[in-house]
Amino acid sequence: MAAKYPLSEQELSCPVCCEIFRDPVVLSCSHSVCRTCLQQFWKTKGSQECPVCRRRSSKGEPPCNLVLKNVCEAFLESRSQRSSAGSEGVCSLHNEKLKLFCLDDQQPVCLVCQTSKNHKTHDCCPIDEAVTDCKTKLQTALEPLQKNLKVLEEAKRDCDQTAAHIKTQTQHTERQIKQEFEKLHQFLRDEEAVRIAALKEEEEQKNQMIRRKIEEMNEEISSLSDTIRNIEKEMKAEDIQFLQFYIFRVQRSPKHPEKTSGALINVAKHLSNLKFRVWEKMQEIIQYTPVTLDPNTAHPKLHLSDDLTAVEYRHQKSSVPDNPERFDKYWCVLGSEGFNSGTHCWDVQVGDRDSWILGLIPESVTRKGTTFSDSVWGLGYNKSEDKYLTRCPRQSGLSLTPKEKLQRVRVQLDWDRGKLTFTDLLTNTHLHTITHTFTERLLPLFCNESDYPLRILPVKTSVTVKQHS
């Protein structure tokens, strides 16, 4: 290599840019400079001087140093080849095998490099030891990345499941909406048919009455026509016969036809407040439930009725997303609307089988794990102990002994006065009242461990008309 390249890399470097010469030119002072560097230097300096010795150049376009250019190009090509060889485990500077790893510079070196001034004072170790240490460090760094990847993959699966569930929810809800509206449409069609039938029936009755009246009038017209013809005939008779006929005819008084009242269609009966009366009758098929259930909060083993008024336990888990609103330990579901003021009441059919709880929890309480149970105001039945127990945060429950097994329970909340009352509907007996100063929004709570559904009962509805005085 020394015979092929008698000049070092430093000697092949431009004195201006300190890089290997690119298109070198030679000045009259015998110094060589890159053509571009020289032009830039002259432009900045304002005079044609040598960048090395400051001797003024007599030529505005110095000739190319062809020999130096060829040597530099050969050197650059050789260095490129050595660099390529270095990537295959050979030192690009000394063409020696890379056996050591410089810990200070974090790069592989050969034995010659280790003894050079660049690495002489650095810590070096064998390549295999460096590889082992680096792999250990990478493995340590890789573990949290793998964990993060696993978490992200699980989160993506949850998102995919949620997206699929949203589609299922939409399709199911759309079907239910169409079914409910079809019931309303059918009711309106039936009601329309009944009212049109009543109109047609009245039309037939009035037509029959008018037809009878017309028949009577036709008979009268026919009789009167015969009388007129007879009179005209008798008027041509002899005097004595005419007088006898006249005396007889004068004794008969003609009848005058009477107008028929109520002959027209009673339009007011059919059209007066039609929409209101149909809506009023619609109350017979419409049920109102003061509290409905929120399926997005239901434990996966709970099944809700289509109208969201009943909940029952099933052994088979449903494939629903584990969203933050959903219970995952207790078999509970919440009401769809919360209360932060006023008085509210709902009746629940509980049956007399397995354990259940009715009550309220704060909206802010987490639904995961078992900690939420410390934030319940309620009444429940424990089948294993055959006891009815009250529940209050940070208080021991009270045991209740109703006269009979509870079948229907009324839950009544007076948020402003801080009262939660439970009543046995069948015997109209007060069971218990919890007093507490409520400070946040509360949600109805329903827990059920039985395949017998807890069912929220509908209330009677009525239509009233209020006239302004």
Side-chain angles (χ1 to χ4, degrees), residues 294-308:
D294 182 358
N296 294 336
T297 66
H299 186 280
K301 286 192 175 183
L302 292 181
H303 174 75
L304 274 57
S305 61
D306 288 341
D307 61 0
L308 305 179

Side-chain angles (χ1 to χ4, degrees), residues 23-297:
D23 191 14
V25 295
V26 60
L27 301 174
S28 56
C29 60
S30 299
H31 290 122
S32 294
V33 187
C34 293
R35 186 183 299 277
T36 304
C37 294
L38 181 63
Q39 292 173 351
Q40 185 65 35
F41 180 79
W42 283 357
K43 182 178 180 181
T44 304
K45 191 71 175 175
S47 60
Q48 297 180 355
E49 298 179 357
C50 173
V52 181
C53 66
R54 295 298 190 270
R55 182 177 174 179
R56 188 172 183 82
S57 176
S58 60
K59 296 180 180 180
E61 289 292 335
C64 175
N65 192 337
L66 188 57
V67 175
L68 181 59
K69 180 181 180 182
N70 293 336
V71 171
C72 290
E73 290 178 352
F75 179 83
L76 290 173
E77 183 179 356
S78 176
R79 188 170 68 175
S80 176
Q81 292 175 354
R82 292 198 303 271
S83 176
S84 176
S87 64
E88 298 175 357
V90 178
C91 178
S92 60
L93 296 176
H94 308 106
N95 203 23
E96 296 286 338
K97 190 171 182 180
L98 299 171
K99 295 184 177 181
L100 300 175
F101 185 78
C102 178
L103 300 176
D104 294 55
D105 294 334
Q106 291 291 298
Q107 66 179 31
V109 296
C110 68
L111 295 176
V112 179
C113 290
Q114 184 191 20
T115 58
S116 68
K117 63 179 182 179
N118 292 334
H119 300 281
K120 190 172 184 180
T121 60
H122 293 176
D123 291 334
C124 297
C125 69
I127 286 288
D128 56 349
E129 290 184 10
V131 169
T132 302
D133 292 342
C134 290
K135 285 185 177 180
T136 302
K137 291 178 182 178
L138 280 178
Q139 184 63 37
T140 303
L142 187 62
E143 289 177 359
L145 296 178
Q146 291 173 333
K147 290 180 180 178
N148 288 342
L149 177 61
K150 186 176 181 181
V151 170
L152 286 173
E153 289 175 343
E154 290 177 355
K156 182 181 179 299
R157 282 196 295 270
D158 290 341
C159 288
D160 291 339
Q161 184 184 16
T162 300
H165 188 67
I166 289 172
K167 184 176 181 180
T168 302
Q169 277 185 312
T170 302
Q171 293 173 345
H172 180 68
T173 306
E174 182 181 353
R175 285 196 299 270
Q176 288 182 267
I177 290 173
K178 289 182 177 179
Q179 289 172 3
E180 292 301 317
F181 270 94
E182 178 57 31
K183 293 177 184 177
L184 296 176
H185 295 159
Q186 187 60 46
F187 170 83
L188 292 175
R189 287 194 291 267
D190 293 344
E191 190 66 18
E192 177 187 12
V194 168
R195 293 179 182 275
I196 290 178
L199 174 63
K200 295 296 184 181
E201 183 180 359
E202 183 180 357
E203 178 192 22
E204 181 62 26
Q205 292 173 352
K206 297 297 173 68
N207 282 333
Q208 288 180 359
M209 182 177 65
I210 293 300
R211 281 197 296 269
R212 286 196 298 269
K213 187 71 175 177
I214 291 173
E215 288 175 0
E216 292 175 358
M217 293 179 69
N218 286 334
E219 291 176 359
E220 288 290 331
I221 290 171
S222 177
S223 174
L224 186 59
S225 298
D226 291 342
T227 301
I228 291 173
R229 285 194 297 271
N230 292 333
I231 290 175
E232 290 175 345
K233 180 179 179 181
E234 292 297 334
M235 287 178 68
K236 297 177 181 179
E238 298 294 333
D239 294 342
I240 297 302
Q241 291 179 343
F242 171 75
L243 289 175
Q244 291 175 347
F245 174 80
Y246 175 77
I247 294 172
F248 173 77
R249 183 59 58 188
V250 169
Q251 292 175 351
R252 294 183 62 186
S253 59
K255 292 183 180 180
H256 295 284
E258 297 180 357
K259 292 186 177 182
T260 304
S261 61
L264 300 180
I265 296 294
N266 190 351
V267 176
K269 182 184 73 172
H270 297 287
L271 293 182
S272 177
N273 293 314
L274 176 60
K275 294 177 184 177
F276 175 81
R277 288 188 288 113
V278 172
W279 175 60
E280 188 178 30
K281 188 175 180 181
M282 192 179 289
Q283 306 301 310
E284 299 173 5
I285 68 165
I286 293 177
Q287 289 186 337
Y288 173 74
T289 308
V291 171
T292 56
L293 305 175
D294 182 358
N296 294 336
T297 66

Side-chain angles (χ1 to χ4, degrees), residues 303-321:
H303 174 75
L304 274 57
S305 61
D306 288 341
D307 61 0
L308 305 179
T309 62
V311 55
E312 63 184 70
Y313 171 83
R314 291 185 178 178
H315 293 282
Q316 184 68 31
K317 265 190 176 184
S318 57
S319 57
V320 293

Side-chain angles (χ1 to χ4, degrees), residues 380-447:
Y381 173 65
N382 189 319
K383 181 183 179 183
S384 60
E385 298 180 4
D386 194 22
K387 285 184 179 181
Y388 294 96
L389 298 171
T390 63
R391 301 177 68 98
C392 290
R394 296 176 295 278
Q395 294 182 19
S396 57
L398 297 176
S399 178
L400 302 180
T401 54
K403 296 179 181 179
E404 298 179 5
K405 281 264 189 179
L406 297 180
Q407 298 290 325
R408 294 186 176 185
V409 177
R410 171 165 293 171
V411 184
Q412 188 166 1
L413 168 67
D414 189 336
W415 194 96
D416 300 317
R417 294 185 179 182
K419 290 184 178 181
L420 178 61
T421 303
F422 298 93
T423 305
D424 181 356
L425 278 183
L426 292 185
T427 61
N428 198 24
T429 304
H430 172 263
L431 296 172
H432 185 69
T433 296
I434 297 173
T435 57
H436 182 82
T437 302
F438 301 117
T439 58
E440 59 180 302
R441 187 179 180 85
L442 303 177
L443 292 171
L445 173 73
F446 304 84
C447 297

